[in-house]
Amino acid sequence: MSRLSAPLLLTLATCLIAPAAMAQTPSSAAPGPQPERPSLVVTIVVDQLSSNLFNQYRDRFTGGLHALASTGLVYANGFQQHAMTETCPGHATILTGVNPASAGIPANDWIDRATGAEVYCLAAPQNTLAHGRITDNGPVGPDQLLATTLGDWLKAGSPTSRIFAVSGKDRGAINLAGHHGDGAFWMTDGFGFTTYVEPGQTAEAKLAPVAALNARINARLAASPPTWTYTRAECRALEGDWTIGTQTFHATLPPATGFKLDTSPVLDELTLEAATELLDTQSLGRRGVTDVLGVSLSATDRVGHAFGTQGPEMCEQMYRLDAALGVFMDRLSQLPGGVVVVLTADHGGSDFPERMHERGYDDAVRGDPALLGRINTALRDRFNLTVDPLSYGGSGLMVVGAGNVELADRRRDQIAAAAVALLRAAPNVAGAWTIEDVLASPLPPRNLSPQELTLLQRHRLGAVEGRSPDIVVAQWPNTTTVPGRVGGTLSTHGTPWDYDRGVPIVFWSPNIQGQERFFPIRTIDIAPTLANIVGVEAPTTVEGRCMDLGLFGAGDCPVVAPAASAVERRPAALQRTVSGIARRLGAR
Ligand SMILES: [Zn+2]
């Protein structure tokens, strides 16, 4: 306590009793009061940007991430609160305000029980892809997303509002653009930014907003093929050789396995160029209504999977992302009508276990690849089966018969129960449940802190009947679920642990004063909070909580009916924390 300065204590005391309006004091540089509503809402999702990674580099950022971290409202304890921390469910929470269970998106893929075929989370077989080939995840669209988004709510009352999203991945764009978006574009190899085409639409019309951009990018890439090398000595210092199974991974730049655009910082730079192009060609934020732009930046995820999170590659990725975001944020700052930006992530991630082990994480291991085989053998013996009854699917396990089709007879439930018992007894397994047991468990109280959810509750928040796998399994923390292949995937995410659930959540607008806020919030709280700022009503089905940020002319959040939890009952002033506390304490 003695380390707190007197002015800081005074500020703290003031803030704890401050009325809502005081929580947001405009800085002295503010030109005047903010307009009633922002003209543009920008949602920036950095794929796989864990809280750990954000905090690790936070005091070294100088660009856009520095601006967000130093002059934004920084929620240090942000969570994707569900267990299956993957890209599609994570993106599905951010602008819908609901958990993956209600968004209908339990994982990146699931198994069609009738055919045994894998179904992509945003598969839309009736659509085509604008670039005229079947690539990436095949025909996609928002149909399987069973919740509406901020853009959908806005557009219902403001039909001239424009809703766009852009990403390195289709699911990064489509989940943010929602059902009534004007465009959801993602980068595809050898073409540029593409989109989906619904029956009755034409590819040419759908691509119009990015056609000139694609021509420009392709000409530039052809004339001057990009590469990836060091800009920082501190990143070069992280070079090293690592033994992954029987292979050696050389952590270096350019990557020893070869340069790939979509596994490099260039992907995010192009995505931000596309976002800027949409600002310009669609006059976003300059038409007297509120527009919505989603920007999902995929390179951090691709770099994390391919090279881990603690090597020279991620180091360079962080600095180049920061720089590219700086240019983009400068552009946003100049919008005359005012902009509100939220930064978050679809999930976190961690490094590959071989390097973690060397850094003192003695428990960091790869999951036992023989585990499934052992359990299948035991089940075959016990149930006198001629085929293995368990197979991987939908980020869990499926109970299947011949042809990998869902086993439909009465033995299915018995086999599933026996499999769960065997899994629970296996080393490195923290929990296993049949999907029936997960779905039968009660949903946790709406405002329970994300840090207090049990493993089963985390799974419940992502469970979707008919889509979730038959059995969900949680391995112990620091167990990496991929075998690890140099040139392929070295590390991953997807666990129910906080290194995969913890994500930064930062709200920012020009000329506001930076604040650190420590109470845990969830990504499902983002959409109702933004809805309040732009003055649209969020549906009553929204599961997140609107937070009074004091931005623009937004009034108090709509009153939430009953069953308020301890979190909900805390006085509003207590929900706010003091500007700069962490910076001052953290300055050490
Ligand atoms: Zn992701």
Side-chain angles (χ1 to χ4, degrees):
M1 203 60 170
S2 60
R3 295 180 60 199
L4 295 178
S5 67
L8 175 58
L9 282 175
L10 185 64
T11 320
L12 179 61
T14 308
C15 193
L16 287 175
I17 56 167
M22 270 195 67
Q24 203 55 63
T25 314
S27 74
S28 54
Q34 289 182 316
E36 192 64 12
R37 304 284 179 215
S39 63
L40 182 64
V41 178
V42 178
T43 304
I44 300 170
V45 183
V46 179
D47 204 310
Q48 206 190 119
L49 182 66
S50 62
S51 292
N52 290 339
L53 201 51
F54 177 73
N55 290 328
Q56 181 182 346
Y57 284 92
R58 181 170 170 176
D59 66 353
R60 287 175 276 168
F61 290 133
T62 57
L65 291 167
H66 171 72
L68 287 159
S70 61
T71 62
L73 311 181
V74 181
Y75 285 88
N77 294 300
F79 285 90
Q80 290 276 0
Q81 64 173 348
H82 52 276
M84 206 85 80
T85 45
E86 296 183 353
T87 298
C88 211
H91 276 88
T93 66
I94 294 166
L95 290 184
T96 63
V98 300
N99 294 291
S102 300
I105 308 287
N108 283 345
D109 307 274
W110 52 83
I111 301 296
D112 181 319
R113 284 168 162 77
T115 64
E118 193 170 79
V119 179
Y120 180 59
C121 62
L122 295 177
Q126 76 281 10
N127 295 344
T128 56
L129 297 174
H131 56 288
R133 290 177 286 124
I134 301 292
T135 56
D136 309 309
N137 300 301
V140 286
D143 310 62
Q144 308 217 67
L145 175 66
L146 304 181
T148 52
T149 63
L150 175 72
D152 297 324
W153 313 335
L154 181 64
K155 203 128 182 167
S158 172
T160 58
S161 287
R162 289 179 179 165
I163 317 297
F164 282 93
V166 63
S167 175
K169 299 179 179 177
D170 56 36
R171 56 192 180 277
I174 294 170
N175 279 307
L176 298 182
H179 296 271
H180 300 291
D182 297 281
F185 300 100
W186 66 92
M187 185 75 181
T188 195
D189 256 3
F191 180 82
F193 288 90
T194 189
T195 187
Y196 61 91
V197 182
E198 295 174 318
Q201 299 177 331
T202 67
E204 192 185 8
K206 290 292 296 270
L207 285 172
V210 293
L213 170 82
N214 280 343
R216 212 166 62 228
I217 287 177
N218 287 329
R220 196 174 70 221
L221 293 179
S224 171
T227 183
W228 184 16
T229 183
Y230 292 110
T231 63
R232 304 260 176 163
E234 68 172 280
C235 298
R236 186 190 293 270
L238 297 171
E239 284 193 340
D241 283 359
W242 303 94
T243 302
I244 315 282
T246 59
Q247 300 177 295
T248 299
F249 168 57
H250 305 285
T252 185
L253 288 179
T257 48
F259 170 83
K260 293 196 192 89
L261 186 149
D262 66 0
T263 316
S264 80
V266 181
L267 178 62
D268 286 350
E269 290 161 1
L270 293 176
T271 305
L272 285 165
E273 186 176 343
T276 305
E277 178 85 354
L278 291 171
L279 285 180
D280 292 343
T281 64
Q282 306 305 309
S283 304
L284 300 183
R286 285 183 278 129
R287 299 177 306 108
V289 292
T290 302
D291 297 319
V292 172
L293 177 61
V295 184
S296 173
L297 300 165
S298 311
T300 300
D301 184 66
R302 299 257 172 81
V303 168
H305 283 301
F307 311 113
T309 62
Q310 295 299 319
E313 309 89 347
M314 187 61 85
C315 179
E316 284 289 343
Q317 163 62 16
M318 287 293 100
Y319 284 116
R320 295 227 349 215
L321 169 66
D322 177 45
L325 273 173
V327 176
F328 183 61
M329 298 270 299
D330 281 347
R331 284 294 305 273
L332 295 179
S333 305
Q334 292 158 17
L335 281 176
V339 61
V340 58
V341 176
V342 60
L343 170 88
T344 190
D346 55 340
H347 52 76
S350 56
D351 201 20
F352 54 79
E354 293 80 3
R355 188 160 48 200
M356 287 177 71
H357 205 266
E358 183 148 303
R359 291 181 171 204
Y361 291 89
D362 290 341
D363 58 346
V365 291
R366 293 193 183 274
D368 179 3
L371 175 64
L372 183 64
R374 282 203 307 275
I375 291 178
N376 265 327
T377 301
L379 293 171
R380 283 173 76 141
D381 289 350
R382 186 181 313 177
F383 292 93
N384 201 19
L385 302 168
T386 56
V387 298
D388 286 341
L390 298 185
S391 71
Y392 289 116
S395 299
L397 296 169
M398 300 297 290
V399 181
V400 295
N404 265 9
V405 173
E406 176 82 349
L407 199 61
D409 66 34
R410 66 182 172 77
R411 289 177 308 167
R412 179 219 173 259
D413 293 349
Q414 297 167 3
I415 292 169
V420 162
L422 288 167
L423 284 162
R424 286 178 178 172
N428 269 51
V429 172
W433 297 269
T434 65
I435 196 61
E436 289 80 7
D437 284 347
V438 176
L439 288 164
S441 70
L443 280 163
R446 232 173 226 202
N447 288 311
L448 185 65
S449 163
Q451 293 168 314
E452 293 170 17
L453 294 166
T454 66
L455 263 189
L456 179 58
Q457 286 173 325
R458 296 173 196 194
H459 278 287
R460 179 67 188 87
L461 291 172
V464 181
E465 189 170 7
R467 292 183 175 180
S468 287
D470 293 333
I471 295 169
V472 294
V473 185
Q475 303 203 57
W476 280 114
N478 296 328
T479 303
T480 300
T481 55
V482 291
R485 190 175 63 80
V486 176
T489 300
L490 292 185
S491 58
T492 193
H493 47 84
T495 78
W497 308 113
D498 284 359
Y499 50 84
D500 282 349
R501 294 199 315 147
V503 293
I505 300 178
V506 183
F507 294 90
W508 179 90
S509 195
N511 303 315
I512 66 167
Q513 194 171 43
Q515 294 183 7
E516 294 290 319
R517 298 180 170 192
F518 299 101
F519 286 109
I521 66 167
R522 301 82 47 97
T523 51
I524 58 170
D525 300 324
I526 292 172
T529 299
L530 292 175
N532 188 50
I533 292 171
V534 302
V536 301
E537 205 171 320
T540 55
T541 46
V542 159
E543 294 160 344
R545 191 173 65 90
C546 171
M547 300 179 293
D548 288 325
L549 298 183
L551 297 181
F552 293 90
D556 292 347
C557 285
V559 176
V560 183
S565 71
V567 172
E568 186 79 7
R569 286 195 305 272
R570 282 175 191 141
L574 268 178
Q575 302 271 0
R576 306 190 167 86
T577 56
V578 186
S579 163
I581 280 189
R583 282 200 305 285
R584 288 183 235 186
L585 295 181
R588 288 175 293 277

